[in-house]
């Protein structure tokens, strides 16, 4: 007993001819249906090319459009000829012109001969189907679908809405429980003939003609009426992405297809010469005889779907950017933001670089330029220090900086004088570690030679900006790791916060305690400076309780009880 092949062909007729000859060489009779959309000239040439093969038939042509009845009608017509013309056929295998046998056809014949009364067709009830795309599962059987989803999308959607509005519901023929599954099946002669010769076939055809995507439900439902034994799986490897579109296999999928142990795979790219040569000519290199197991490569496909839908952390693509929440994280690695440290400590950036080995930048969002480390004007990935380019999309600027320098810890300074458009992005980024000495922006004003009236106005502006920034960092939406010290609190015991910062970033060569500390700016008279601001009507509250006579502790001398992380 042989296996009959029903081929549905609509494009790449040269490849379809090549595969048909491969089936025929193994003794399989073939019935081919060519889509009515195929030009007559191409169709005649296709028939002529296969005219030397005796066991190849062509059936009546139907117009086959995705999701419509034409695909079922084509399968019916070809199957009818197969049963009538080739009585020796025990199993009928439905394939397409883009299907490619992965194992010697003789193995498939032997496999089916050992299971003479088993139908291989994916068939599950709508309640058990997790893969439906588009929100139509039960409704595809209870509503009518006279319009093409691809050609007349608006009419399709409007008609569905109308039927829902009037609560229209079709009656499912008695005795039928709708099932769904892959279009590609392999049925026994007994089951297939029972479906085609059913006295109620006209009623079933009339019902399924207006079901959405009937090629995935007609045979899947009716086979349950007649089959002695169904294995609810397809012998054809066919994978779909998250949008319901089939994966296309290319030359570089050769080893992946070998690992699947499947008999047939679709969809094969017509120009995948390496695949066609490997599987249609290399009998010796064929896969070992084993049970088909497409699950072996499911992990790879799941990873591909995740890569396509979520992407790599901190790397954007058109399908996810700039839609918020669709990105897989704002940035690709952890980074540190310091506010107030460069103002309070002399050469803070140099000291932090020496202590941690990280790349420490200045104010990346400064109003005049992005202050890259070591005075660079261009960073990795041709990232410019231009404010115009940076401020066009501050979020993309930060994401690109972290991505382009991945593997190297990035640190930068921030303050109320910088561009504040990045505030919320940093606050909602779990990779951000933000350390703030509130009110430290007043130190440069304290040391400036500006008129005091100008200092007061500038202090009021900067304090208002920083206050709003702190509100953002304290909001319930913040995911960054945030530490905030008032200036008075920080300078009272600076060693402990500095040690925390070093430990958080990761010290060089495993050093756990501070071998050296940065020099703090001379703040003699700073308390009186704050009091003068108060006297002029500006209340500098972000610095904390800073007495007029306070002399801050110098960090040049170690504290009496040095802070050690254990």
């Amino acid at each position: 007993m042989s296996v009959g092949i029903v081929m549905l062909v609509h494009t790449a007729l040269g490849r379809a001819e090549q595969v048909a000859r491969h089936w025929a060489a193994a003794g399989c009779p073939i019935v081919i249906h060519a889509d009515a959309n195929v030009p007559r000239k191409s169709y005649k040439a296709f028939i002529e090319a296969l005219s030397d093969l005796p066991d190849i038939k062509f059936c009546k042509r139907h117009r086959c459009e995705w999701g419509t009845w034409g695909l079922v009608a084509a399968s019916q017509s070809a199957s009818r000829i197969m049963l009538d013309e080739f009585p020796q056929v025990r199993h009928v295998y439905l394939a397409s012109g883009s299907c490619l046998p992965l194992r010697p056809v003789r193995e498939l014949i032997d496999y089916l001969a050992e299971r003479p009364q088993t139908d291989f067709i994916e068939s599950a009830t709508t309640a058990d189907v997790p893969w439906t795309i588009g929100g139509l599962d039960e409704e595809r059987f209870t509503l009518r679908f006279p319009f093409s989803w691809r050609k007349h999308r608006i009419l399709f959607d409007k008609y569905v809405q109308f039927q829902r509005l009037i609560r229209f519901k079709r009656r499912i023929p008695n005795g039928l429980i709708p099932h769904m599954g892959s279009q590609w099946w392999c049925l026994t002669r007994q089951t297939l003939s029972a479906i085609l010769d059913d006295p109620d076939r006209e009623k079933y055809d009339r019902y399924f003609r207006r079901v959405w995507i009937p090629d995935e439900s007609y045979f899947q439902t009716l086979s349950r009426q007649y089959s002695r034994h169904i294995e609810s799986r397809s012998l054809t490897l066919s994978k779909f992405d998250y949008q319901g579109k089939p994966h296309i296999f290319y030359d570089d999928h050769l080893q992946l297809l070998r690992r699947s142990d499947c008999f047939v795979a679709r969809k094969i790219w017509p120009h995948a010469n390496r695949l066609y040569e490997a599987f249609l000519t290399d009998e010796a290199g064929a896969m070992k005889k084993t049970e088909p197991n497409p699950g072996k490569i499911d992990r790879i496909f799941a990873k591909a779907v995740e890569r396509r839908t979520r992407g790599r952390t901190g790397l954007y693509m058109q399908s996810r950017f700039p839609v918020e929440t669709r990105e897989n994280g704002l940035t690709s690695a952890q980074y540190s933001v310091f506010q107030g440290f460069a103002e309070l400590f002399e050469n803070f950036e140099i000291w932090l670089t020496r202590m941690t080995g990280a790349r420490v930048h200045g104010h990346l969002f400064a109003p005049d330029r992005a202050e890259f480390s070591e005075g660079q004007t261009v960073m990795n990935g041709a990232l410019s220090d231009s404010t115009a380019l940076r401020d066009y999309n501050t979020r993309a600027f930060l994401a690109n900086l972290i991505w382009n320098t991945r593997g190297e810890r990035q640190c930068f300074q921030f303050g109320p004088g910088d561009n504040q458009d990045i505030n919320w992005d940093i606050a909602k980024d779990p990779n951000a570690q933000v350390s703030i000495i509130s009110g430290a922006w007043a130190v440069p004003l304290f040391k400036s030679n500006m008129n005091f009236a100008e200092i007061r106005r500038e202090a009021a502006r900067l304090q208002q900006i920083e206050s709003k920034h702190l509100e953002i960092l304290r909001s319930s939406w913040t995911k960054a790791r945030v530490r905030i010290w008032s200036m008075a609190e920080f300078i009272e015991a600076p060693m402990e916060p500095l040690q925390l910062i070093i430990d958080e970033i990761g010290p060089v060569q495993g050093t756990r305690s501070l071998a050296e500390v940065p020099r703090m700016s001379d703040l003699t008279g700073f308390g009186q400076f704050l009091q003068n601001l108060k006297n002029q009507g500006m209340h500098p509250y972000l610095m904390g309780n800073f007495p007029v006579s306070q002399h801050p502790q110098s960090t040049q001398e170690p504290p009496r009880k040095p802070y050690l992380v254990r």
Side-chain angles (χ1 to χ4, degrees), residues 370 372 376-387 389-390 397:
F372 294 128
Q376 299 178 80
T377 58
V378 178
M379 276 292 294
N380 301 33
L383 205 59
S384 170
D385 67 346
S386 166
T387 56
L389 295 176
R390 179 200 67 193
F397 173 84

Side-chain angles (χ1 to χ4, degrees), residues 9 11-21 46 49-50 97 270 276 280:
V9 178
T11 187
L13 301 186
R15 287 300 188 192
E17 176 194 348
Q18 186 179 358
V19 174
R21 290 186 176 278
F46 182 51
L50 292 171
Y276 282 96
L280 298 186

Side-chain angles (χ1 to χ4, degrees), residues 175-193:
L176 287 189
I177 300 177
H179 284 67
M180 297 171 58
S182 171
Q183 173 189 358
W184 312 107
W185 41 256
C186 178
L187 297 178
T188 61
R189 166 181 286 271
Q190 182 177 6
T191 299
L192 186 56
S193 61

Side-chain angles (χ1 to χ4, degrees), residues 248-311:
I248 298 177
F249 294 103
Y250 300 92
D251 280 339
D252 51 357
H253 292 126
L254 175 59
Q255 296 305 320
L256 180 71
L257 293 175
R258 288 191 185 279
R259 289 166 54 188
S260 72
D261 297 330
C262 291
F263 290 111
V264 181
R266 75 174 304 271
K267 256 182 161 182
I268 308 298
W269 187 47
H271 302 290
N273 298 326
R274 186 182 176 197
L275 294 184
Y276 282 96
E277 291 173 3
F279 291 113
L280 298 186
T281 62
D282 185 14
E283 289 278 341
M287 294 179 289
K288 60 184 179 180
K289 295 183 179 181
T290 184
E291 185 73 19
N293 185 15
K296 291 171 61 176
I297 60 175
D298 281 348
R299 178 184 59 82
I300 298 174
F301 279 92
K303 187 175 181 180
V305 171
E306 182 181 11
R307 178 64 59 86
R308 182 175 179 184
T309 54
R310 298 199 67 208

Side-chain angles (χ1 to χ4, degrees), residues 405-419:
T405 58
R406 57 193 182 279
E408 180 183 46
R409 180 63 172 254
Q410 303 297 305
C411 306
F412 63 90
Q413 317 305 311
F414 193 73
D418 297 340
N419 187 332

Side-chain angles (χ1 to χ4, degrees), residues 287-421:
M287 294 179 289
K288 60 184 179 180
K289 295 183 179 181
T290 184
E291 185 73 19
N293 185 15
K296 291 171 61 176
I297 60 175
D298 281 348
R299 178 184 59 82
I300 298 174
F301 279 92
K303 187 175 181 180
V305 171
E306 182 181 11
R307 178 64 59 86
R308 182 175 179 184
T309 54
R310 298 199 67 208
R312 285 173 282 183
T313 305
L315 182 64
Y316 296 83
M317 63 180 289
Q318 181 271 340
S319 64
R320 295 184 300 275
F321 184 79
V323 183
E324 189 173 5
T325 72
R326 288 196 65 184
E327 76 278 357
N328 186 6
L330 171 67
T331 54
S332 61
Q334 292 187 343
Y335 59 96
S336 298
V337 182
F338 296 95
Q339 184 164 322
F341 287 80
E343 289 74 17
L344 186 59
F345 295 102
E346 298 176 3
N347 300 319
F348 175 76
E349 297 160 20
I350 298 174
W351 172 82
L352 187 62
T353 301
R354 188 165 55 248
M355 291 300 298
T356 64
R359 182 183 290 272
V360 183
H361 305 279
H363 286 259
L364 288 181
F365 296 91
D368 53 345
R369 61 178 290 268
E371 299 175 357
F372 294 128
S373 64
E374 301 175 358
Q376 299 178 80
T377 58
V378 178
M379 276 292 294
N380 301 33
L383 205 59
S384 170
D385 67 346
S386 166
T387 56
L389 295 176
R390 179 200 67 193
D391 295 343
Y392 179 77
N393 192 327
T394 55
R395 181 178 188 177
F397 173 84
L398 177 60
N400 286 333
L401 174 69
I402 304 303
W403 174 263
N404 294 334
T405 58
R406 57 193 182 279
E408 180 183 46
R409 180 63 172 254
Q410 303 297 305
C411 306
F412 63 90
Q413 317 305 311
F414 193 73
D418 297 340
N419 187 332
Q420 300 295 302
D421 292 345

Side-chain angles (χ1 to χ4, degrees), residues 48 66 116 196 200 253 275 317 344 353 458 488 510 537 560:
E48 182 64 26
W66 181 87
L196 298 181
D200 292 327
H253 292 126
L275 294 184
M317 63 180 289
L344 186 59
T353 301
E458 182 66 7
R560 295 179 181 179

Side-chain angles (χ1 to χ4, degrees), residues 194-244:
I195 293 174
L196 298 181
D197 296 333
D198 193 303
D200 292 327
R201 175 181 163 183
E202 183 178 350
K203 177 177 64 175
Y204 295 150
D205 288 2
R206 186 168 56 250
Y207 168 74
F208 279 100
R209 194 179 295 272
R210 290 293 178 256
V211 167
W212 193 41
I213 318 180
D215 54 289
E216 294 183 354
S217 58
Y218 180 84
F219 290 98
Q220 292 75 5
T221 299
L222 295 181
S223 61
R224 291 286 178 179
Q225 300 287 99
Y226 312 106
S227 177
R228 293 187 179 182
H229 176 62
I230 285 182
E231 285 212 15
S232 184
R233 61 188 174 102
S234 174
L235 297 180
T236 299
L237 174 64
S238 182
K239 294 293 184 179
F240 295 85
D241 63 14
Y242 73 105
Q243 293 178 322

